[in-house]
Amino acid sequence: LDPQTGLVHCDPRGLQLWSANVDSAQIDHGFMNDTGNFVLKGNDDSWLWESFKHPADTILPNQELKIGESLSSRKSATSFSSGRFYLRFRDDGNLVLVTKSVSTNVDDDAEYYNSKTSDSRDPLYSGSQVTFDGRGAMYITKKDNKTEQLNLVSIPPASENYHRATIDFDGVFTHYYHPRTLTGNPNWKVLSYLPPNICISLRAYRGSGACGFNNICNLKNGRPVCECPKRYVLLDPDDTYGSCIPNSTLSCAEVDGGSAENLYDFEVVYNIDWPLSEFQKIHPSNERVCVQNCLHDCFCAVAIYKENNCWKHGPPLYNGKADKTIHTKAFIKYRKSDGSKPKDRGTRSEERRV
């Protein structure tokens, strides 16, 4: 709290990164109250600024989100720059989780949760604010004062536990709690989260989905875990949630006649898919027809086969997910290095399950 410039945040070199945008001449003092709200008070005892009105990725008990306000995720577990996931309370009264890969864009890429608390017939029954009360309960208050609960679980008493709700870097909006007494365990426990399965809920026509482009989302203990498919590697080795790139090239320029068999082969992976990213569907089809169509199509990077249906996908692949219930067979095309001829059905014998 600088007497000349007010409340500012500077880097180690002294360069200003952020300011509360309050006239320093009006500030008398700042204080942190018992709820965790940091307040700047004026000479006339008025509240000039408070941290609860400017949330980043977290809200605390006794904090509210009003229409038009939002939370935004950080970029990664260790980077506090802006990520691409947002919790918004829209003007229509719906609380939504959305992605926006370019922060300056007006429109969001995709929506993967909606509270459905808007009533177009009578705005009186639409949501007016999100409340995280002192007991740790989180709910949407409607304009007629009725409420819609968001955490439909038994809540550990706030007298014995700290509570917070954060939109994490992986896009999951999570309610955490931690005992007020020292336990020796620094980790917060998860009470509830939205959505139940982000890998399935996030289906983007724009943007990459829950993970980066060409990546695959697998739900483990309620959290998305991203893994590049066979023959792909991370674009940024330090960002497992980011995009993947093929470790061999697929080209249209060098494929003519029967040369595709000499250049390319397939890895076979079960129970993965990239929904909505296909550019062509073949029906009816069998595995051999599916593989041969992808092999001889220089735009095809992956073919997905299921129940006499074949979907051809070209780069980049998006909405990647692993799910044991979808019963798909994915043929991932890659460039051979030894020039050897493929097996008769055009696939390698090596297969793996996800």
Side-chain angles (χ1 to χ4, degrees), residues 102-113:
V102 180
S103 60
T104 55
N105 281 359
V106 175
D107 298 322
D108 298 320
D109 292 335
E111 178 184 291
Y112 58 101
Y113 168 78

Side-chain angles (χ1 to χ4, degrees), residues 25-317:
Q26 297 180 323
I27 300 174
D28 182 75
H29 67 280
F31 71 96
M32 179 78 75
N33 66 20
D34 292 340
T35 63
N37 189 15
F38 183 72
V39 180
L40 295 180
K41 296 195 74 171
N43 300 319
D44 58 356
D45 208 36
S46 62
W47 286 25
L48 302 176
W49 184 92
E50 57 178 303
S51 62
F52 270 19
K53 298 295 184 183
H54 304 273
D57 64 350
T58 297
I59 57 173
L60 301 175
N62 297 298
Q63 192 169 0
E64 299 168 343
L65 280 182
K66 298 187 181 297
I67 286 177
E69 296 181 336
S70 65
L71 304 179
S72 61
S73 70
R74 52 183 169 178
K75 186 175 181 180
S76 70
T78 57
S79 173
F80 286 83
S81 57
S82 295
R84 60 190 183 92
F85 300 99
Y86 295 81
L87 177 79
R88 302 193 192 283
F89 196 49
R90 286 182 173 158
D91 294 345
D92 61 6
N94 283 324
L95 181 70
V96 297
L97 287 165
V98 296
T99 61
K100 187 163 69 170
S101 52
V102 180
S103 60
T104 55
N105 281 359
V106 175
D107 298 322
D108 298 320
D109 292 335
E111 178 184 291
Y112 58 101
Y113 168 78
N114 190 310
S115 64
K116 301 187 183 303
T117 47
S118 174
D119 192 324
S120 58
R121 296 168 299 177
D122 190 344
L124 180 64
Y125 302 108
S126 294
S128 62
Q129 70 179 34
V130 179
T131 300
F132 195 10
D133 69 19
R135 298 177 296 111
M138 197 181 318
Y139 48 87
I140 295 174
T141 302
K142 298 183 178 181
K143 294 175 183 178
D144 62 354
N145 290 324
K146 292 184 178 179
T147 59
E148 185 93 13
Q149 296 293 321
L150 292 175
N151 45 3
L152 301 175
V153 292
S154 177
I155 301 171
S159 59
E160 301 174 8
N161 296 273
Y162 297 108
H163 290 262
R164 66 177 171 93
T166 300
I167 179 167
D168 290 313
F169 74 92
D170 57 17
V172 180
F173 183 53
T174 310
H175 183 163
Y176 294 96
Y177 69 99
H178 192 284
R180 291 179 179 268
T181 55
L182 293 177
T183 62
N185 185 353
N187 297 321
W188 290 70
K189 296 180 179 180
V190 173
L191 179 64
S192 62
Y193 48 83
L194 293 172
N197 187 334
I198 189 173
C199 299
I200 294 176
S201 298
L202 211 174
R203 294 167 60 88
Y205 286 97
R206 292 177 296 178
S208 61
C211 301
F213 290 109
N214 301 325
N215 214 332
I216 300 172
C217 182
N218 192 5
L219 195 75
K220 296 182 179 180
N221 299 319
R223 318 301 305 196
V225 176
C226 302
E227 181 183 7
C228 293
K230 268 293 190 76
R231 304 289 175 172
Y232 283 74
V233 295
L234 286 169
L235 178 62
D236 178 356
D238 296 324
D239 184 9
T240 57
Y241 290 80
S243 296
C244 305
I245 55 175
N247 58 12
S248 65
T249 58
L250 306 178
S251 172
C252 287
E254 56 193 359
V255 176
D256 55 11
S259 62
E261 284 85 355
N262 297 322
L263 289 171
Y264 303 116
D265 210 336
F266 293 89
E267 293 279 4
V268 182
V269 185
Y270 289 91
N271 298 324
I272 67 170
D273 196 6
W274 286 273
L276 308 180
S277 68
E278 69 274 4
F279 66 85
Q280 189 176 70
K281 179 181 178 180
I282 303 171
H283 176 80
S285 177
N286 56 40
E287 285 190 24
R288 181 176 177 80
V289 169
C290 189
V291 169
Q292 289 297 314
N293 265 272
C294 185
L295 178 66
H296 291 283
D297 186 339
C298 63
F299 295 108
C300 182
V302 173
I304 302 291
Y305 178 78
K306 178 181 179 179
E307 297 174 353
N308 299 322
N309 290 287
C310 176
W311 294 269
K312 294 195 296 185
H313 299 253
L317 308 169

